[in-house]
Structures are given as structure tokens and as C-alpha cells.
Amino acid sequence: MAKIKKRGESGAAKNYITRNQAIKKLQISLSDFRRLCILKGIYPREPLNKKKANKGSSAPASFYYHKDIQYLLHEPLLVKFREHKAFAKKLARALGRQEWGLAKNLEDAKPIARLDHLVKERYPTFTLALQDLQDPLNLVHLFSTLPTNPVPGKTLVPSEVIAECSRLIAEWKLWAVKTHSLRKVFLGVKGVYYEIDAPGQGGDPVSVRWLEGYEFQQHVPHDVDFRILLTFLELYRTLLSFVMFKLYTEENLVYPPPMDTELDERGENLGALKLVERKENAEGSGSAASKVSKKEVRRAIKGIKAAGAANDDNDVEMDQDEQDAQDEEEEEFVERPSKDVNEDVSSAPLTTYSSLAKTAQTSSSPASLLFAPYTFYLSRETSSKTWEFVIRAMGGRVITSLTAPSPNDTPLADSITHVIIDRPMTEERMREMQGDRKWTWVQPQWLADCVNKGKVVGAGEYAPGQLLPPHLSPWEGDGELERPWLENNAEAIAADAEGEGAEAIVEDDEDEDEDEDDEAEQKDDAALPPALLAAAQNPSDPTLLHAAELEAERTGTSHAAFTAQLKSATKAHQAANAGQNGAPAAAKAKKAGEGEEDLRKIMMSNKKAKLYEKMKYGNKQKAEEREKLESKRKAIEQRKRKELKGR
């Protein structure tokens, strides 16, 4: 006899659970449940049939996987949440009774929830942590630029959190400066995009890209729920601490690096942090082998293998089990030391990052030390935080208005090779500041273009007041610059050109000379790139113009030559359209207009889209009625003409 299934015990009703049911099962508040889901990476799910998942009810609800909620039952953070709830009750009661001593003791014994186990759980390997580092860096930098008290009398973000975010970003940049790992820079609309190569598993580099906003005054909106953002930030700060402890340890450096309070008060950004070598490797037992780090050993082994010097495999062969154990030990996600472990760094050699940047590492490529021979002076209107990091990460030296009282100071001014300036300058003023020295005056975009191309480009197009060449994104092919519709546009252009050639053959003999000229122009157009022809057909479209600029950059065409080609192609296309019937052009314009309407409709909300459709329908009805009345009027006029002719 078949067993009868009860309703709600199988299928979607068993696989899903509503948010209210999950809160009752976990016995926590809604805010704690949201925080726990963010920290554990659990998100709402959308069942195929909400009515079945809600056991026949059609009431709106948020659903989660039942297995995820079962998994949360064993989370250690639940115990901390309950301890904090009990602590809050005891503290409120002590304050209500004015028992200040008890309240102070309770505050000292406040339970603190640590997220170390969550980082190890969500990122079991170091490479996975590096691959997911973009969002943490973006959010930490965003909070580092927030004002400490945006609303008078109301603190949205504690000042300690903003200070810690600023310190984490400075430590991340300091490591990039030390290792010369910066690879790409792009000045976008939202801010400055950076990309560095961090050492991942097995020595393979992992590209880490992040965004930093421009240095403007931040206006914090009042309708932002900072509780959710601070929960994400709490996890990301812990993750960044883990990652940077691992990176600093690989470089044989102490983490966190100590800060020079005097330089910090003077406004130094990266210069306030010091790089300190680890004591156990710096002093050791006195032998030369104790001063060599694991990373240097791996580099030496790779160099020997590349040079072909290790011919005798018996001398350098390592047991496979020992090699696997060593790899596991090296790639383990190193935990940050607790606060009880005190490292004596007073006797360790103290070295600033600027002096370490001068020493070229043997593993650094020439492209990573692009600015090593140069010294740059940053003008006051340029962003010192951005360009100081870029220059020093590429091996160069920087003189800013903070460290140099004036560029006319003789010892400092004589060492300057490039002046980064972002405002128009007259030649007289430039000669007055330069004197007998040889300075190269460039705009900041020159630095980014040099980094992206991996070589020092000419400074003629980047002089102060000059129109800068197009600043292209270095990540072509990553989905940012792909424009598949350009191929279809090129095919349409080619078909139109063939049609024009066929029509030209059918013309009368009187226009043979004009036909030959048209054919010559078509041959010239065929030699031009398809993107340039598409931009010439529609010069007002910024997308087609940007695609043509990218194609010109790819083929090595100069900006002046590209502008001349685009101008001539635009004139030729306008002249060709002038002698033809306007119907095809109108049809193309109508088609393009429909495409733009579709794009605009995609960005609308559902309510606005319906209203837009109603407006279109009403306009269409009015146009049809107008055409109908116009046709009646023409018919009446034609009938009247016939009657007059009949008389």
C-alpha cells in the first residue's frame, strides 16, 4: 500500500523556510539575523513556486534554504549574540539603579565577537582571499574618506572605524610600494582604478583590482542604512588584516608596521609608516642561513631552474612527501597574532619605505621600476595620495609641497626631472620657475599612460594646457569595452557601399566622371577601419566615436591622423547622402531612434514603462487620426478640382 504524503513535509515546502520561521528557530532578533546572514554569506532564495514553498499561503515572504538555517544553528556567533543581549540587559539595569561601579565592571567584561573563524571558513586558501579582495578594498577606501561627523549631533560612523580604514589602505599601498607590484592605472568617472599582482598559490600572481574615489568632500546621504554597511565592513577589515599579515610575513616584515606620529601629524600619507624587518630573521642565531627567508629561497631555486644550472637531479632532489608538506605549510592562511603576543621591534633595523624603494629587487622587472631614474615634483593642485603612490610603486622619487618648502630650493630643485602639473601655464612662468634646470612639464595622465603601456612615452602631447590624447581603459576584453554591435554595423556599411556601387553602374553616361569619383571615394572608404566608417555615419553617437578611437589606438594611428580621417569620412558620407533620396536615411534614423527608445525603456521602472507605453499609444492614435483627416482633405480637394475641370 502506497504511503500517503502529508502536505508540507516534502518538496519545496521542506527545502525552503521563511524568514520569520528562521528567526523563531534561531531565537534571535531580526537585526542579529541580518548580521549573521551577511557574515556567513547566506542570502534569500527565490523558489520556483512561492505558494508551494509557503505551504499553500500566498502571503509575501522571504525564503531561505532550510539547510542553510540548520547550518546556522551550530554557529559560535550565536552564543556571542546571546551573551551580548544579556550584557545589555545587565548594563541597562545597573545604569538605572545608578550602580556605577558595577556598570564599569560590566563594560570591562563586555563580550566581543571575533570573526577569525569566519575568514578561515569562507576563504580556506590564500589565493581565494586574494581573488575576492576587490569589494573589501573598495568599501574600506570608501569609509576611509567619510567625514567623522557628517550630521551635527549624530555620529553615523565611529571615528575609530574611519581611522582604521585609513590605516588599512595605507598599509596595503605600502606593501605595493615595497614590492613594486603596481601594473595598471585608469582614471575613470567614478575614481581611479588600480591593479596589482599579488603572489598567490604556487607563486602564480593574482591580479587584484580596486577603485578609489577622487579627493572631494563627501556628502553622506541620510537614507543609507549604515548598520548593514558596517557589518560588511567588519568582515572585510578582518579579511584585510589576515591578507596583509600574510603578505608582510612573506616579505620578512613586521605587521602592522609602526607609525611615525610626527610625520603623521605633518600630513604624510605613506611616509608616516615604517617598514621593520622581523626580529627572528634579522638577528637569529648568527648564521647566514637564519637570515634567509623562505621567499628568497624559492626565488633562488626558480632562478637556478631557469638558468639550467641544476643538472644533477640527485643533488637537489627533494622527497615528494616533504615537498607537499612544505607547500601546505607555506600556503596555509596564516592567522594574525593575538594581542597577547608582543614583538620586540625596538632592536630591529628601522627602514622607511622610500629608502627600500630605491633598492631594486632582483625579481622586479624593468616595467615595475619604470620611474626609477626620475624625480617628480607634484604641483599643489594634483592629488598627492594618488600620484605619490603610483610614482613610488614604479620606483620613482617624489617631492611634494609637504616635504619640500619650495621647488626653488636648490638641492631639491636640482634633482627634479619631471613636474606634474594640472593647470595651464605660460611659457614665461615655466621658464621663471625652471631657471637653468631641465624639467619636463607633463599632466598627470602621462603617468597613468606610461604605467599601462609599460614604457615611458613621449611628453609632447601631455604638456600643460595641451589637449590630451584619449585615455583608454587597459582592461580591454574584460567585458568593459566589448561592443558586438559594431560588427553588424560594419556589415551594414559594407552592404550600403555595395548598393551605392551597383546604382552608380546603372547611371547615365553623362555622369561617368562623377561615378569614377564616387568609386574612388568608396575605395578610400574601404581602406578605412569599419569603426571609423560607423562613427562617420553617425558623428553624434559617443559610443561609435569611442570605438573608433580604440581601433585607432590599437592600429597605432596618431590622434591628429585619426581626426583628419574622421573629418574626411564624415564629409564624404554627408555628400553621398545629399544626392540620394531621403527615404533610406529616414528609415535608418527611425530604426536608430527605436533602438534608443528600447535602451531608455530598459532603464525605466515598471510603473514608468507602463506610463510610457500609454503615452506612445495615445500619440499613435492621434497621429493616425491626423493622417485620416489629411487623407479626407486631399480627397475632397481632388474631387473639387475634377468638378471645376468638368465645367
Side-chain angles (χ1 to χ4, degrees), residues 193-264:
Y193 295 84
Y194 302 102
E195 181 177 290
I196 67 171
D197 286 344
Q201 186 175 1
D204 298 331
V206 178
S207 297
V208 180
R209 189 187 311 168
W210 77 97
L211 169 66
E212 290 190 359
Y214 293 114
E215 294 184 69
F216 297 126
Q217 183 180 3
Q218 298 291 337
H219 298 282
V220 182
H222 305 298
D223 55 348
V224 175
D225 191 354
F226 277 92
R227 293 176 299 176
I228 296 177
L229 292 178
L230 287 173
T231 304
F232 278 102
L233 185 65
E234 185 180 4
L235 176 65
Y236 290 162
R237 282 157 49 194
T238 308
L239 173 60
L240 279 176
S241 299
F242 269 79
V243 169
M244 281 191 287
F245 178 78
K246 172 74 172 177
L247 293 175
Y248 273 71
T249 306
E250 287 289 330
E251 294 295 328
N252 195 25
L253 299 172
V254 172
Y255 182 81
M259 178 177 291
D260 191 336
T261 56
E262 182 179 353
L263 293 177
D264 185 45

Side-chain angles (χ1 to χ4, degrees), residues 23-233:
I23 291 174
K24 290 180 181 178
K25 191 168 190 176
L26 297 174
Q27 297 181 4
I28 56 177
S29 62
L30 177 59
S31 60
D32 288 342
F33 177 74
R34 287 174 176 169
R35 184 183 178 196
L36 189 62
C37 288
I38 291 173
L39 295 177
K40 295 287 290 184
I42 296 175
Y43 301 97
R45 307 294 178 174
E46 190 72 17
L48 296 177
N49 193 325
K50 290 185 177 181
K51 192 172 183 180
K52 289 183 179 180
N54 206 5
K55 298 180 181 180
S57 175
S58 58
S62 299
F63 296 92
Y64 294 84
Y65 282 144
H66 190 271
K67 290 185 177 180
D68 291 343
I69 305 302
Q70 287 290 120
Y71 181 61
L72 289 179
L73 287 172
H74 308 283
E75 176 56 41
L77 283 178
L78 278 176
V79 180
K80 289 294 181 181
F81 289 168
R82 289 163 184 156
E83 290 179 359
H84 190 275
K85 186 177 181 180
F87 157 78
K89 288 182 178 180
K90 292 178 182 178
L91 183 63
R93 182 171 55 191
L95 293 176
R97 294 178 178 179
Q98 297 184 0
E99 298 175 351
W100 312 119
L102 179 60
K104 185 178 183 303
N105 294 335
L106 288 173
E107 186 67 26
D108 295 338
K110 179 181 178 180
I112 299 175
R114 294 180 61 87
L115 307 182
D116 299 353
H117 67 286
L118 292 182
V119 174
K120 290 184 175 182
E121 177 185 309
R122 297 184 65 172
Y123 307 100
T125 62
F126 185 59
T127 302
L128 292 176
L130 289 176
Q131 292 174 351
D132 199 24
L133 212 59
Q134 180 176 357
D135 288 341
L137 288 173
N138 292 346
L139 189 63
V140 169
H141 181 271
L142 176 63
F143 271 85
S144 67
T145 58
L146 290 180
T148 55
N149 192 13
V151 181
K154 184 178 180 181
T155 304
L156 298 178
V157 182
S159 58
E160 297 81 6
V161 174
I162 297 175
E164 184 179 358
C165 291
S166 301
R167 180 184 60 81
L168 288 173
I169 289 295
E171 290 171 356
W172 173 259
K173 288 185 174 181
L174 180 62
W175 174 83
V177 168
K178 169 66 173 62
T179 56
H180 305 291
S181 55
L182 182 65
R183 294 294 175 265
K184 294 177 183 179
V185 182
F186 178 62
L187 307 176
V189 177
K190 298 180 180 179
V192 184
Y193 295 84
Y194 302 102
E195 181 177 290
I196 67 171
D197 286 344
Q201 186 175 1
D204 298 331
V206 178
S207 297
V208 180
R209 189 187 311 168
W210 77 97
L211 169 66
E212 290 190 359
Y214 293 114
E215 294 184 69
F216 297 126
Q217 183 180 3
Q218 298 291 337
H219 298 282
V220 182
H222 305 298
D223 55 348
V224 175
D225 191 354
F226 277 92
R227 293 176 299 176
I228 296 177
L229 292 178
L230 287 173
T231 304
F232 278 102
L233 185 65

Side-chain angles (χ1 to χ4, degrees), residues 239-440:
L239 173 60
L240 279 176
S241 299
F242 269 79
V243 169
M244 281 191 287
F245 178 78
K246 172 74 172 177
L247 293 175
Y248 273 71
T249 306
E250 287 289 330
E251 294 295 328
N252 195 25
L253 299 172
V254 172
Y255 182 81
M259 178 177 291
D260 191 336
T261 56
E262 182 179 353
L263 293 177
D264 185 45
E265 291 175 356
R266 287 169 51 186
E268 289 286 349
N269 182 23
L270 299 179
L273 297 175
K274 304 287 185 179
L275 291 179
V276 182
E277 294 183 2
R278 294 176 64 86
K279 180 182 176 182
E280 55 268 22
N281 289 332
E283 296 180 356
S285 61
S287 62
S290 63
K291 298 181 181 180
V292 181
S293 63
K294 294 179 181 179
K295 192 170 184 179
E296 293 175 351
V297 173
R298 291 200 301 270
R299 288 176 180 172
I301 292 175
K302 289 182 181 180
I304 293 173
K305 290 181 179 179
N311 295 324
D312 190 2
D313 297 333
N314 296 326
D315 294 337
V316 297
E317 185 178 8
M318 181 182 293
D319 187 71
Q320 185 65 29
D321 296 335
E322 295 179 1
Q323 180 68 29
D324 295 339
Q326 181 180 358
D327 292 340
E328 291 177 1
E329 180 182 358
E330 292 172 356
E331 296 303 330
E332 183 184 0
F333 208 136
V334 182
E335 183 177 2
R336 184 178 181 180
S338 62
K339 296 181 180 180
D340 299 334
V341 180
N342 297 323
E343 297 188 27
D344 184 14
V345 299
S346 59
S347 59
L350 202 63
T351 312
T352 60
Y353 79 102
S354 57
S355 60
L356 285 174
K358 296 177 185 177
T359 306
Q361 300 179 0
T362 55
S363 63
S364 299
S365 61
S368 62
L369 299 174
L370 197 62
F371 301 143
Y374 308 124
T375 302
F376 296 85
Y377 173 75
L378 298 179
S379 185
R380 64 177 181 272
E381 73 278 354
T382 58
S383 175
S384 60
K385 289 185 179 180
T386 299
W387 301 117
E388 182 181 356
F389 166 62
V390 172
I391 293 170
R392 286 177 169 164
M394 304 303 291
R397 294 183 64 235
V398 178
I399 297 176
T400 62
S401 58
L402 296 175
T403 57
S406 172
N408 294 323
D409 191 8
T410 303
L412 294 174
D414 290 342
S415 62
I416 294 175
T417 59
H418 292 73
V419 177
I420 309 300
I421 189 168
D422 201 13
R423 67 178 187 272
M425 289 285 289
T426 60
E427 295 183 0
E428 297 179 359
R429 178 59 179 164
M430 292 167 61
R431 285 196 298 266
E432 180 183 351
M433 294 181 62
Q434 185 172 353
D436 297 335
R437 310 175 189 94
K438 293 183 178 180
W439 290 351
T440 303

